[in-house]
């Protein structure tokens, strides 16, 4: 099982690499790794398991964070229709997005960042994502709100981007009024 010991922290070069696409169909090893990433999210969201193994809770995880520079992400959250999303995805790609942006009122954190970084992280309010599931099915997801933010945070990791790269240093809390979509 993945624990915090397997999660690399800022400063590790892999976090700044562009991850490699996974050639499909994925190998057994790639499937096992992606499955273990979903399992991390499940464990981390269970209070007892998280306490027992010292896991920081997560709603998303990207393979570079466990030092696997491949385009693989896991997400476990709810979408804007309160549909439960528990997915392991290969080669996720944002194929279209809104101009409108949003951000998490409380800012963002990262399992690979052991410090608080204040400031708004601008994200597209709505995105359309194409990916291949663990089971090998190509899917298209239309996401908005919190789930859209999670996916953008994870896909950024596949491009070597950390959430704080997106905070406007000169004006970290720039939006005087939160956009209507603020979460
Ligand atoms: C917002 C939040 N961030 C948590 N952690 N950070 C992460 O997931 C990082 C990714 C998220 C940071 C902002 C957007 C994506 C991990 N990242 O580094 C991967 O790249 C949470 F854990 C969390 N929730 C709310 C839902 N709750 C359900 C019950 O279980 C506990 C869980 C806690 N919400
Ligand atoms: Ni992260």
């Amino acid at each position: 099982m993945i624990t915090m010991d397997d999660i690399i922290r800022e400063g590790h070069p892999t976090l700044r690499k562009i991850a490699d696409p996974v050639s499909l169909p994925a190998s057994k090893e790639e499937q096992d790794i992606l499955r273990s990433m979903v399992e991390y999210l499940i464990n981390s969201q269970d209070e007892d398991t998280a306490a027992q193994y010292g896991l920081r809770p997560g709603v998303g995880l990207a393979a570079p964070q466990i030092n696997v520079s491949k385009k693989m992400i896991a997400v476990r959250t709810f979408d804007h229709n309160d549909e439960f999303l528990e997915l392991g995805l290969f080669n996720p790609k944002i194929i279209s997005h809104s101009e409108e942006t949003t951000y998490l009122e409380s800012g963002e954190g990262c399992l690979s960042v052991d410090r608080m970084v204040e400031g708004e992280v601008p994200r597209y309010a709505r995105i359309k994502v194409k990916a291949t599931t663990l089971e090998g099915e190509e899917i298209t997801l239309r996401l908005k709100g919190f789930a859209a933010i999670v996916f953008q945070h994870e896909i950024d990791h596949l491009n070597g981007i950390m959430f704080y790269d997106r905070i406007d240093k000169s004006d970290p809390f720039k939006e005087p009024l939160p956009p209507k979509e603020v979460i």
Side-chain angles (χ1 to χ4, degrees), residues 60-62 65 109-113 153-154 157 162-163:
L61 186 65
Q65 293 183 275
C110 183
L111 297 177
S112 298
V113 178
H153 178 112
E154 303 317 327
H157 275 302
M162 301 294 280
F163 72 92

Side-chain angles (χ1 to χ4, degrees), residues 39-62:
E39 184 209 28
Y40 176 85
L41 299 181
I42 295 169
N43 291 339
S44 79
Q45 292 185 14
D46 175 85
E47 260 177 53
D48 300 337
T49 311
Q52 188 178 349
Y53 294 98
L55 309 178
R56 271 185 64 188
V59 290
L61 186 65

Side-chain angles (χ1 to χ4, degrees), residues 132-149:
T132 300
T133 66
L134 251 178
E135 297 72 30
E137 187 200 350
E138 187 170 323
I139 59 166
T140 301
L141 294 164
R142 286 161 187 76
L143 302 161
K144 67 181 195 178
F146 183 70
I149 292 172

Side-chain angles (χ1 to χ4, degrees), residues 64-91:
Q65 293 183 275
I66 53 169
N67 204 17
V68 173
S69 195
K70 294 186 178 192
K71 292 192 185 300
M72 301 170 17
I73 65 170
V75 177
R76 188 172 202 258
T77 185
F78 291 88
D79 74 7
H80 58 283
N81 296 321
D82 276 341
E83 291 280 314
F84 182 57
L85 282 179
E86 181 182 87
L87 292 163
L89 297 174
F90 296 111
N91 306 325

